[in-house]
Amino acid sequence: MIELVEINEFELKKYVEAAYKDDNDLLEKYHVDLYDFDGAVNETLRMIEVTNEQVPKIYYYGVMDGKQKIGYLVYFTNNLYSFGINIEYRKKGILMEFW
């Protein structure tokens, strides 16, 4: 069962790493620039931190499948800012449950 759990900004890195793990397509084709794994994680966290300084309140959620971290979601009022689900979990049933 997919569950969103509220986390804080200090826990976010573990969830971003889980979302990006083993996803070469994301790193090579769909990220803002070309990064390796650590670079993509760090750039995502940096962009979120910059946005956090500009909006009144930002919310962080980890995406869990049971006890397994599989992704993250970050939003602020009326704006989904950033999210990711691990490539192994991007299946129709799981994504429908997530959304």
Side-chain angles (χ1 to χ4, degrees):
M1 179 173 164
I2 302 304
E3 181 180 11
L4 294 178
V5 294
E6 191 165 8
I7 59 174
N8 63 47
E9 62 189 289
F10 306 107
E11 297 171 290
L12 182 61
K13 184 175 184 176
K14 295 180 282 189
Y15 291 89
V16 174
E17 289 172 338
Y20 289 7
K21 184 178 181 224
D22 298 326
D23 193 347
N24 291 329
D25 279 349
L26 173 71
L27 299 178
E28 293 173 7
K29 298 177 185 174
Y30 302 109
H31 215 277
V32 176
D33 285 315
L34 187 59
Y35 293 104
D36 64 7
F37 176 81
D38 290 327
V41 169
N42 290 331
E43 181 62 10
T44 298
L45 295 171
R46 187 195 69 76
M47 292 185 325
I48 292 168
E49 183 178 321
V50 167
T51 301
N52 187 30
E53 295 169 358
Q54 299 172 1
V55 299
K57 175 74 174 150
I58 198 164
Y59 301 90
Y60 307 94
Y61 284 87
V63 182
M64 303 288 295
D65 181 18
K67 294 185 181 212
Q68 182 73 32
K69 293 175 182 71
I70 66 167
Y72 72 98
L73 181 139
V74 176
Y75 76 93
F76 56 93
T77 305
N78 296 321
N79 289 280
L80 173 59
Y81 183 72
S82 184
F83 73 95
I85 300 290
N86 183 273
I87 193 166
E88 291 186 29
Y89 292 86
R90 287 187 218 140
K91 296 176 172 65
K92 183 178 179 179
I94 291 172
L95 292 174
M96 289 181 69
E97 192 175 342
F98 170 71
W99 290 114

